[in-house]
Amino acid sequence: MDHLPAALERAGNEESWAVADAISTVLKNSEELHSWRRLLLSACIKGLVAMYSSSKDESKQEVERSMLLRLEELLHVVEEVDPDDWCNLVKTGLKYRYRDATFLKVLNVAIQLLYKKESSFSQ
């Protein structure tokens, strides 16, 4: 469990995400669930940045789409993100995927969640 977030950061590691989902299910009623989801959110962002940086031609659209949907889901639950991770995602995503409708939709949702008035991130 300690080594899984690092494995999730590598591009296209769907099998590891299945394990992460299983761990999330086990932790469902645990106090550790929120911190686990924060780790997953960070790993998801880093994985997307790695995908965008290594695959500038959008050849892995389906994998990227599933990661973006996972990112959106985690953002709704966690509602906070590391500022460095966020900056890297926005910068890299806009550089390589500024035409990708799914990326732009998830980016818009993330901005709405992270920059609402009661969020500490908006400051």
Side-chain angles (χ1 to χ4, degrees):
M1 188 169 148
D2 295 333
H3 302 289
L4 189 58
L8 295 172
E9 293 173 15
R10 291 191 289 273
N13 205 342
E14 289 299 310
E15 298 84 19
S16 296
W17 280 103
V19 174
D21 291 339
I23 292 171
S24 295
T25 303
V26 170
L27 294 176
K28 189 172 185 175
N29 296 320
S30 170
E31 294 177 9
E32 297 177 49
L33 182 60
H34 186 71
S35 62
W36 174 247
R37 285 181 173 161
R38 286 182 63 187
L39 288 172
L40 293 181
L41 178 61
S42 179
C44 185
I45 290 172
K46 289 175 182 172
L48 280 167
V49 169
M51 265 191 258
Y52 293 161
S53 297
S54 68
S55 179
K56 297 169 180 67
D57 63 353
E58 301 181 34
S59 62
K60 298 180 180 179
Q61 282 187 328
E62 204 52 47
V63 175
E64 289 178 10
R65 188 175 327 279
S66 70
M67 288 290 286
L68 284 166
L69 296 175
R70 183 177 299 277
L71 173 67
E72 183 178 0
E73 177 185 320
L74 287 167
L75 280 170
H76 279 287
V77 176
V78 178
E79 292 188 353
E80 58 185 284
V81 66
D82 179 79
D84 291 334
D85 289 347
W86 173 246
C87 182
N88 286 335
L89 175 67
V90 172
K91 184 173 76 174
T92 308
L94 289 175
K95 183 175 183 179
Y96 298 115
R97 299 298 188 268
Y98 62 92
R99 293 183 186 171
D100 183 353
T102 306
F103 169 75
L104 295 173
K105 176 188 158 286
V106 172
L107 182 64
N108 184 37
V109 168
I111 289 170
Q112 299 300 318
L113 284 170
L114 296 174
Y115 291 95
K116 60 186 175 186
K117 285 186 178 185
E118 55 273 0
S119 171
S120 63
F121 198 75
S122 66
Q123 297 172 6

